Amino acid sequence: MWLFGYGSLIWRPDMEYEDSKVGYIKGHVRRFWQRSTDHRGTEEAPGRVVTLIPFNEFSERFTLHDQHSTNQDDITWGIAYKIPESKVEETKAYLDHREKNGYETHFLDIYQPGSDTPVVEKAIVYIGSTDNSEFAGPAPLDLIAQQIYSSRGPSGPNLDYLLNLAHALRIVAPSGNDQHLFELEARVKELMLRDAGSKEAFDLMLSRIIVQARPPSIASPV
């Protein structure tokens, strides 16, 4: 079984795997448009985490509400993990619980630059569709940034999720151009710097947040 991670699974897989491949899926857009009330927020103060929007649906419904249209909008970088046969059932049960807040399983091919042939066929991908109960949809970037900055849940602060994802993605896919993610990162860092009071305090805070944001050692940058 192959599993593709495009969010926290990039920097915190928390599962046993025997191989991994950096690559991308086609035809989808990654956005912080999914509410998190179980990991990075609460029912009273939901956080925001990433989901995938089919590019055709994104183009038809959301381009007027989104300012990050680029020539890479139809690809999403991440990491595919190969789960040992002996761990498939256990891992699937763990992931179903981990992604229970509105996500469903899909099967998508994984590609790498320079080839039209998938490097992995039909990897499992957890996606929160636009009709799931926790889909938050688009909002002004400043409002999303403030929500991420102020929310926290059982798995920790929402900003840890955002900053770790941006940090890890730059390492595993330096050619990736996720303007939505990186613009949110910049705005959240502005809020952190404002409240830290000094560049030194900000740097210390940031180092404590991303200290565990290490991509899997087996995954090599493409």
Side-chain angles (χ1 to χ4, degrees):
M1 180 182 86
W2 282 89
L3 166 74
F4 182 75
Y6 61 92
S8 60
L9 286 172
I10 294 179
W11 58 274
R12 191 172 65 90
D14 285 350
M15 61 195 177
E16 186 175 329
Y17 57 92
E18 61 186 20
D19 193 8
S20 67
K21 298 179 186 293
V22 175
Y24 55 83
I25 59 173
K26 297 180 179 181
H28 291 77
V29 178
R30 173 172 38 212
R31 291 292 185 268
F32 273 82
W33 289 357
Q34 181 78 358
R35 277 185 289 267
S36 178
T37 58
D38 58 342
H39 288 298
R40 299 291 172 175
T42 63
E43 291 285 353
E44 295 75 23
R48 278 203 182 226
V49 292
V50 290
T51 188
L52 297 177
I53 317 298
F55 186 68
N56 289 341
E57 182 180 4
F58 176 82
S59 299
E60 293 173 0
R61 296 182 56 190
F62 298 116
T63 51
L64 293 178
H65 308 283
D66 188 273
Q67 56 187 284
H68 296 118
S69 179
T70 74
N71 61 0
Q72 288 197 29
D73 252 346
D74 63 339
I75 69 172
T76 302
W77 284 90
I79 299 179
Y81 302 94
K82 186 178 182 182
I83 309 301
E85 189 65 33
S86 62
K87 295 290 185 177
V88 167
E89 185 175 349
E90 172 187 331
T91 302
K92 187 63 168 58
Y94 162 72
L95 291 168
D96 286 346
H97 178 75
R98 173 170 168 161
E99 308 295 340
K100 67 182 184 298
N101 202 35
Y103 292 86
E104 298 177 344
T105 55
H106 295 250
F107 296 89
L108 299 174
D109 294 337
I110 313 301
Y111 296 86
Q112 291 180 334
S115 175
D116 292 329
T117 302
V119 66
V120 174
E121 294 183 350
K122 296 182 179 179
I124 290 179
V125 187
Y126 284 83
I127 299 175
S129 63
T130 58
D131 61 359
N132 86 86
S133 61
E134 296 299 328
F135 184 72
L141 263 289
D142 283 335
L143 291 182
I144 296 179
Q146 182 62 55
Q147 184 177 358
I148 290 172
Y149 181 61
S150 60
S151 297
R152 66 181 300 127
S155 295
N158 202 174
L159 66 88
D160 289 10
Y161 175 102
L162 166 69
L163 298 180
N164 285 331
L165 175 56
H167 172 73
L169 193 63
R170 284 193 178 95
I171 296 174
V172 302
S175 62
N177 183 21
D178 194 323
Q179 292 186 9
H180 174 81
L181 169 63
F182 296 140
E183 178 64 20
L184 275 175
E185 176 197 33
R187 297 193 187 202
V188 167
K189 284 183 175 179
E190 289 175 1
L191 296 173
M192 293 171 60
L193 180 60
R194 178 200 67 189
D195 291 347
S198 70
K199 183 64 163 56
E200 292 75 15
F202 166 79
D203 289 341
L204 179 60
M205 184 188 309
L206 191 62
S207 69
R208 289 173 174 171
I209 290 173
I210 68 171
V211 67
Q212 296 183 12
R214 296 291 184 268
S217 59
I218 199 171
S220 301
V222 175

